[in-house]
Amino acid sequence: MSASLSPSATASAPLTVALIGNPNTGKSTLFSALSGIQTRIGNYPGCTVEKKIGRLQIGSRPIRLVDLPGTYSLSPRSPDEMVSVDVLLGRMPDVGRPDVIVCIVDASNLERNLYLFTQLRELGIPIVLALNMWDVAQRNGVNIDVAGLEKQLGVRVVTCEAQRKRGLEPLREAIVAAASTTAAPPPELLPEPVRREEQVLTDWLASQGKKEPHYLVERAILDVGGETELRFLAETPAGAREKLAEARKRLTDGGLRLAAVESLSRYRWIQSQLDGLVTHSETGRVSITDRIDAVVTHWFSGTLIFVGIMFTIFWTLFIFADGLMGNIEEGQGWVSDLVTSNMAPGTLRSLIVDGLINGVGSVIVFIPQIALLFLFIAILEDCGYLARAAYLIDRFMTKFGLSGRSFVPLMSSFACAIPGIMGARVIENRRDRFTTILIAPLMSCSARLPVYLLMTTAFVPAVYFLGGWLPLQALTLFVMYILGAVVAVPIAWLLKKTILTGETSPFVMELPEYKWPSPWIVVQRVISQAWRFLEEAGTLIFVTTILVWAAGYFPGDHTESHALAAQIEALEGEETPDKPRIEALKDQKNHIDSELLSNSLLGRTGKFIEPAVRPLGWDWRIGMAAVASFPAREVIIATMGTIFSLGGDVDEENESLRGALASATWPDGRPLFTVATAVSIMVFFALCAQCGATLMVIFRETGQWRWPVLTFSYMTALAYVAAWLSFVIVSKFT
């Protein structure tokens, strides 16, 4: 090996180690195997890239292990992809320049995986090359002369099986050993004209008082239209654009094709290095992965399997998680009852029960769906199927401006947009990920169902088609459920053509070997994602819930309502409750609560916006209920119950609520709720971003407020126009 000892290295100084590799090489598994549960997850500043830092001890050496995003090369096309380059160049202050790089490669696909390694060599940092999936390579007849490869490449090479935690100790030793050396000089892979132009540009920058790393200058020349070029032009002196154009012109005039020169040069060098060191035995048999892929990636059988798996996920999120969420809500109700039974009615009790407990419950209730979704994603990804699913569906999704990996998050959003948006983390391409996040709230989540059921059963006529087989109410419910998905198609196309423009990235994905998912890896990922939701988005959701409670409670004198509540609770606690008396007091209290709500900040807002919602067929009461439901759609049922003097504990199946809505009138005596009004309300709820938790999660996932603001704005405008059109059209036929 050509590396030498570093005089500045000390045996006990903390080390920063960057872990990087192609997607599906087992990088995350190796990260978890090395760091265990001591992982801190966040985002890099100003972008959506997840920052995972693990801590471990190798001998007396404390290690910070930085898990960088999976990538096939260091040629960034977006700010998110630039993160890896910035970390490796020491341009991320909170991470620092790595002391060692661990480049993990798939041992059975060594030639293709070494492309990234050749770029890492140019950074001047000691490298350990980890040949992962060593067992798979041997099973496939791939023979690698490890000692010869180490000598040839000039870096430490170790073999490992991250999933089985084999080879970890030699890897740890190699990391510490590499830290005490300096990096070997990189081989000169690129043609001489490219290196000359890089030096000319670097010298010119130096003459202008600007010092840029050689690697960034090289990338600025080679990556036409890439993120490095944008960064280079933004940070360098005037005249850099012209100098860069001149350099590229000289290379082109010299017969070099910038788009191909780098890949040709690097792969030519890789082949020369591996010659005689990597051989393939003639196994004469078809691997298990090939046999499974013949079925799983076939257009017919693969599609059936894909639909079956997706249906299972959807069913589980929609049905199974619903039971768990019901248990959480029961627990929330038990705690609320406990507080209610031990505190006199008053503002403090309302704050604790309706604000604090309701706020905490509104956060925890999402955990079952989030945990189940990430459980499925972790299993499918770890066993190797997720890459096949993305490959299979990519052709279909590309027609709508999305990628194959968008399907699972969007489908999950039918149960709840929050896990769906968080599930978009599996999409590497920033434009595809953001587009998926921005249209995910259009999918009809389970919270919209109570509104659909209430309006459909109360106001849509019980008419049947197709000889009685097709009820109009069921048809209406179906149309409302798919409305958001249909509208999402042109929205995604529009986003890609306007604010998320850019070069369409080719769909490149390694199809890994199938393997049994590791239980400890799956459990660890589920726990970390659920905890991150509680820690970050949960805080914002909780605050939002408290603010909405305050808007519905103040201003107003609740003394009489609290006194009536105290009387009701006292009567209910008697051995023989006076039920007629209790019902009379409840009616009186509901009437007072309705008056208080109508005069609260929320009620005043509803009256203020009545001129704006009248074209939709709504009065101020519906407008106020819609405003109250912006933090959470399901709130509208309880709000309508309160405003129509029925109390806030009604649900969509409550006959009294349906009757109250049916008998509600405008001041001139016209019915307030008609079929047109009901359709208008359902369309508005189908398309509007009425979920504060969703908007908070969008902020957490994108790292910028402008994205949830954009989502809220475009969905609200879309919902308003669509509701108005629906009201006008349906009014003409009813």
Side-chain angles (χ1 to χ4, degrees), residues 168-309:
L168 299 185
E169 194 54 39
L171 177 58
R172 293 189 183 99
E173 294 172 359
I175 290 172
V176 174
S180 63
T181 66
T182 54
E188 295 180 340
L189 306 184
L190 298 176
E192 192 278 334
V194 176
R195 287 182 273 123
R196 184 176 62 242
E197 292 298 340
E198 182 264 314
Q199 190 59 53
V200 169
L201 198 52
T202 301
D203 292 342
W204 178 81
L205 289 170
S207 69
Q208 303 296 310
K210 181 70 176 177
K211 186 178 181 180
E212 284 285 304
H214 284 276
Y215 187 77
L216 284 185
V217 179
E218 176 187 294
R219 296 254 57 86
I221 294 174
L222 294 174
D223 299 340
V224 180
E227 182 63 23
T228 315
E229 179 184 347
L230 297 176
R231 181 84 65 87
F232 177 82
L233 295 177
E235 297 179 355
T236 51
R241 184 184 299 277
E242 290 73 19
K243 292 292 181 184
L244 184 61
E246 290 170 7
R248 288 173 174 170
K249 186 173 186 307
R250 284 192 292 270
L251 291 172
T252 305
D253 291 344
L256 290 177
R257 290 178 57 233
L258 289 178
V261 64
E262 182 178 17
S263 57
L264 290 174
S265 303
R266 293 190 186 280
Y267 278 121
R268 189 181 302 125
W269 182 85
I270 292 170
Q271 289 166 0
S272 68
Q273 300 301 299
L274 298 183
D275 187 29
L277 298 177
V278 179
T279 58
H280 294 76
S281 303
E282 294 296 332
T283 59
R285 63 181 178 84
V286 179
S287 69
I288 295 176
T289 291
D290 292 336
R291 291 177 186 174
I292 298 175
D293 272 345
V295 178
V296 169
T297 59
H298 187 272
W299 70 270
F300 182 72
S301 57
T303 303
L304 287 180
I305 294 171
F306 174 79
V307 171
I309 291 176

Side-chain angles (χ1 to χ4, degrees), residues 29-82:
T29 305
L30 181 61
F31 174 82
S32 300
L34 288 172
S35 60
I37 61 173
Q38 299 184 59
T39 303
R40 185 164 55 86
I41 302 177
N43 274 22
Y44 287 101
C47 67
T48 64
V49 177
E50 193 173 75
K51 179 171 65 177
K52 291 172 66 177
I53 297 180
R55 298 189 182 279
L56 62 149
Q57 191 89 13
I58 302 179
S60 61
R61 212 80 187 258
I63 307 287
R64 293 175 73 230
L65 186 62
V66 184
D67 185 18
L68 294 174
T71 181
Y72 292 101
S73 73
L74 291 182
S75 306
R77 310 296 299 179
S78 71
D80 286 2
E81 294 175 7
M82 192 72 191

